[in-house]
Amino acid sequence: MGIGHYKYWALVTILVVLILFLSSPLTSPGYPSINPYYLDMSTTVIEHIVLLKAKSDASDEDIKKLVEGTHSLRAIPGVISITVGPTFAEEWMPDRRNGHTHTLSVRLESKEALKVYQDHPLHVQVKKECILPVLAEPPMAVDYESSVVLGDITGK
């Protein structure tokens, strides 16, 4: 076999890998398929942001229960991702937390998915048993629709 034969198979292999890479979803199942080199600005998601003020006497166990309960909400249909964590202010930045100790962010596929999420028995249970008992006051929540814009994932 000549060198041309090897070049042919190398080219075929590269093309197959490239096709597989460009056609695969960027993240978990259920997430809108976004090619990192092309973004259709019509791809939108719903962001559900909740600011929480934990009681001053909330124990580490209380906060752990809040975080674990919140993470379990990923099982609700239409939920793309969930993040939750303590707020912070670095010494070089103004403290703009206004007493909010934790933030919850839920990314959903659509407005319809937000409705499913709000009414879902798991959400109702987690809110009642894991979130509200830890809070000093009612949570502040906002929802918005946004296009997903990714940064340069190539590292260049």
Side-chain angles (χ1 to χ4, degrees):
M1 289 186 222
I3 193 77
H5 179 75
Y6 292 109
K7 286 182 182 179
Y8 171 78
W9 284 110
L11 181 60
V12 168
T13 302
I14 290 170
L15 287 173
V16 167
V17 169
L18 186 60
I19 289 168
L20 290 174
F21 173 74
L22 293 178
S23 65
S24 67
L26 185 60
T27 59
S28 64
Y31 193 80
S33 180
I34 299 173
N35 178 320
Y37 301 105
Y38 170 76
L39 179 63
D40 177 0
M41 292 303 286
S42 67
T43 301
T44 60
V45 295
I46 301 300
E47 301 288 354
H48 174 65
I49 309 297
V50 184
L51 299 176
L52 308 170
K53 290 184 182 181
K55 294 176 184 173
S56 58
D57 62 347
S59 68
D60 290 344
E61 195 60 37
D62 292 335
I63 299 301
K64 181 179 178 185
K65 185 175 179 182
L66 179 144
V67 170
E68 289 176 354
T70 301
H71 286 163
S72 74
L73 299 175
R74 176 61 179 93
I76 297 175
V79 172
I80 296 168
S81 65
I82 294 182
T83 61
V84 62
T87 59
F88 66 90
E90 295 290 326
E91 63 183 49
W92 51 264
M93 62 194 293
D95 188 347
R96 42 192 186 191
R97 296 175 289 173
N98 294 322
H100 295 99
T101 60
H102 293 77
T103 301
L104 163 65
S105 176
V106 182
R107 180 170 281 182
L108 299 122
E109 294 175 350
S110 64
K111 290 179 182 176
E112 294 77 20
L114 176 61
K115 175 74 171 129
V116 169
Y117 171 83
Q118 289 294 327
D119 297 338
H120 197 280
L122 180 59
H123 176 257
V124 173
Q125 178 185 0
V126 167
K127 186 175 177 181
K128 180 181 175 185
E129 296 176 7
C130 303
I131 298 174
L132 293 179
V134 177
L135 300 184
E137 61 184 59
M140 182 170 67
V142 294
D143 304 295
Y144 65 96
E145 186 171 23
S146 176
S147 297
V148 177
V149 179
L150 301 174
D152 181 5
I153 65 169
T154 63
K156 295 179 183 174

